[in-house]
Amino acid sequence: MRSRGKKDKKSSLILNVVILVGVFVLVSSLLRWAPISQLSSKMMLHVFHYDYSSSTIGNVELRFDESQKEVAFSLADQIPDYDQLSKEWFGDLSIPELEVFVIKQGELPDPIVRNANGLFFPFTNVIAINSSLPEEERVHALAHEFAHFYLQSYLEQQNVKETDLPDWFHEGVAEAFAHRFAPLPFYEAIHMWKVVPYSEMDMKDQAFGTSERYIMAHFTVEKLLANHGTEVLRYLINGTKVRDSFSKSFTVVTDEKLSSYHTFLERNEEFTNNMSEKLVSGGKDNEVKQELLKYDNEQGPYYYDAPSVYRLLQSIYKQEQNWDGAISLFLKERQYLRATPFEWKEASEFALQMEDHDRAKKYARKAVVLAEGSGGKEFEEWLVEVESRSKDKE
């Protein structure tokens, strides 16, 4: 009897373990199904942040820790501008109500947001933003997630599935949208630049440089917008619905093959090195300038080699004393790299040559701020000189 009791107890234990494992597998499977997973995330956000304050702004329910009220409302101030750009890209949308959580990270990362900049949950219309980010990154994150919200709203309005469009298109649209409100320098996110066809552009595979994929997707959408206007996004989406194929829609809308379109993203060191050698060897500056301008125009608004092209053109413009052109290229280069105090001082000098005293002072102040705490006396003296010259001209 005793041995049978042990056997029954052992069988019961095994059965309980099997049931427990089965329940775990079932719940895990359900959580992989997006609607259930996102509903769970929404519930967890409310549970973990039950004490958050809330404020209704239009169709947005803003939720925030009271200590982050100023940050939350500063972000919310951007929303009308987001709505305006959304109209330009997607037309008039029937926008559902949206919850925006401005997450204050504690000692441990938020269990939902973790260390992400932001997340959008399309099935529950919830956005969560990491408020611990620097201001510019916060704005970029919120604009990025709002772009996903607008794009998803348009897809639902057109009865198009999210999965009918490639991931790179979703992320490229969101990055292009966000860049208009917070243009973070591209090169700070670039560690490698391995261009692949769009069919191989996995936006989630960390092993292949996800950040570079986002920038490539962004550059692609910017080129589409520049070449075909803001309607191109709607044309591509609606064409995908009609033809049941994004690639076919792409060819019809752009007159280009998607399979080879990625080649504009590839680096062209041979070209930039050749242009540089021509300038060093005393080539005709005007001919080099025309080649550089032509290349820049063909590449589109953003491309990997742009800073090299801009620097070469700047050197020509300085020779020509085309200070306005030099400043314009200097500012375009800032999309890729942050400037040093010396570079801002040089831009201030260009502006002063043009007798544009407001810009000269603005750029001189930037140099002072950047050099603060690291021996900025030279830049402080330059600012004093610029302000003195400005008074003399008044």
Side-chain angles (χ1 to χ4, degrees):
M1 291 291 291
R2 185 177 295 176
S3 61
R4 185 177 177 182
K6 284 184 177 179
K7 187 175 181 180
D8 289 344
K9 190 173 182 181
K10 184 177 180 181
S11 298
S12 176
L13 180 62
I14 292 172
L15 180 62
N16 287 335
V17 170
V18 169
I19 292 172
L20 185 63
V21 170
V23 170
F24 177 78
V25 170
L26 177 62
V27 171
S28 298
S29 299
L30 286 173
L31 288 177
R32 287 194 191 97
W33 188 41
I36 297 296
S37 174
Q38 292 185 27
L39 181 61
S40 172
S41 296
K42 179 177 180 176
M43 292 171 62
M44 287 180 69
L45 282 168
H46 278 276
V47 169
F48 279 100
H49 307 295
Y50 69 92
D51 57 344
Y52 269 23
S53 302
S54 69
S55 179
T56 303
I57 303 171
N59 70 311
V60 175
E61 185 72 18
L62 188 68
R63 299 189 179 275
F64 52 90
D65 183 274
E66 193 61 30
S67 68
Q68 297 282 291
K69 184 175 181 179
E70 187 175 340
V71 169
F73 278 92
S74 175
L75 283 171
D77 287 343
Q78 307 273 336
I79 295 174
D81 293 329
Y82 299 165
D83 288 340
Q84 183 58 43
L85 184 57
S86 169
K87 286 182 181 179
E88 293 176 23
W89 287 15
F90 304 111
D92 290 322
L93 293 174
S94 178
I95 299 177
E97 292 183 357
L98 177 72
E99 271 190 297
V100 175
F101 282 81
V102 181
I103 304 295
K104 179 187 177 184
Q105 299 282 31
E107 292 182 9
L108 296 174
D110 184 271
I112 302 299
V113 178
R114 295 189 177 91
N115 290 316
N117 288 357
L119 295 170
F120 169 57
F121 303 99
F123 291 99
T124 55
N125 288 320
V126 171
I127 287 175
I129 295 298
N130 182 349
S131 70
S132 65
L133 298 167
E135 182 180 2
E136 193 176 24
E137 291 183 31
R138 283 200 305 267
V139 172
H140 188 279
L142 185 62
H144 179 105
E145 303 309 332
F146 255 84
H148 281 305
F149 170 62
Y150 295 129
L151 178 55
Q152 184 66 31
S153 298
Y154 184 74
L155 294 178
E156 290 175 359
Q157 186 172 293
Q158 300 301 316
N159 197 27
V160 176
K161 295 179 183 177
E162 178 185 357
T163 52
D164 289 342
L165 304 172
D167 284 349
W168 70 259
F169 182 80
H170 284 275
E171 298 303 339
V173 168
E175 283 294 284
F177 190 96
H179 195 70
R180 279 147 179 76
F181 300 97
L184 302 177
F186 302 124
Y187 276 15
E188 291 184 4
I190 294 175
H191 306 291
M192 54 179 284
W193 191 255
K194 183 181 178 183
V195 176
V196 297
Y198 297 106
S199 59
E200 299 175 24
M201 196 178 285
D202 188 342
M203 307 303 291
K204 300 178 180 67
D205 190 348
Q206 299 291 333
F208 290 96
T210 308
S211 58
E212 282 84 350
R213 296 290 182 262
Y214 274 70
I215 295 171
M216 290 175 189
H218 176 188
F219 286 7
T220 302
V221 170
E222 292 285 9
K223 187 175 177 68
L224 291 170
L225 290 167
N227 290 354
H228 305 283
T230 55
E231 300 89 352
V232 70
L233 304 179
R234 282 172 277 176
Y235 291 159
L236 286 169
I237 293 167
N238 297 339
T240 298
K241 177 182 177 181
V242 171
R243 297 172 184 86
D244 197 28
S245 168
F246 179 82
S247 61
K248 289 179 181 177
S249 174
F250 190 93
T251 299
V252 171
V253 171
T254 67
D255 201 29
E256 303 254 13
K257 288 185 177 181
L258 182 61
S259 58
S260 58
Y261 198 75
H262 67 283
T263 54
F264 91 92
L265 292 165
E266 293 171 350
R267 299 179 67 180
N268 193 344
E269 289 181 283
E270 183 180 350
F271 172 77
T272 52
N273 289 340
N274 185 34
M275 292 298 101
S276 179
E277 287 171 8
K278 282 187 178 182
L279 287 177
V280 171
S281 63
K284 293 182 180 179
D285 286 1
N286 191 53
E287 289 181 5
V288 175
K289 180 173 72 173
Q290 294 309 316
E291 285 190 65
L292 288 166
L293 289 171
K294 180 184 177 184
Y295 180 78
D296 181 58
N297 184 59
E298 290 172 347
Q299 289 302 104
Y302 304 105
Y303 56 100
Y304 187 90
D305 293 316
S308 299
V309 172
Y310 296 158
R311 287 190 205 106
L312 291 171
L313 282 169
Q314 275 189 76
S315 68
I316 296 173
Y317 286 153
K318 283 189 276 187
Q319 288 291 327
E320 296 175 345
Q321 297 189 357
N322 180 352
W323 310 120
D324 190 38
I327 289 175
S328 176
L329 290 168
F330 166 77
L331 294 176
K332 287 178 74 173
E333 191 182 352
R334 303 287 65 78
Q335 306 271 7
Y336 298 82
L337 293 165
R338 297 186 191 276
T340 65
F342 295 98
E343 289 171 319
W344 280 113
K345 179 176 179 289
E346 184 180 50
S348 174
E349 291 168 351
F350 296 162
L352 205 58
Q353 290 284 354
M354 298 167 58
E355 296 191 0
D356 187 339
H357 298 283
D358 288 339
R359 279 208 287 181
K361 287 185 284 188
K362 177 182 176 181
Y363 299 156
R365 290 189 189 107
K366 282 183 176 289
V368 170
V369 170
L370 282 175
E372 192 173 2
S374 59
K377 186 177 180 182
E378 171 188 347
F379 307 107
E380 291 171 1
E381 290 174 349
W382 171 248
L383 176 58
V384 171
E385 183 177 343
V386 170
E387 290 175 337
S388 175
R389 292 195 201 180
S390 298
K391 286 180 182 178
D392 291 343
K393 290 290 182 179
E394 290 176 358

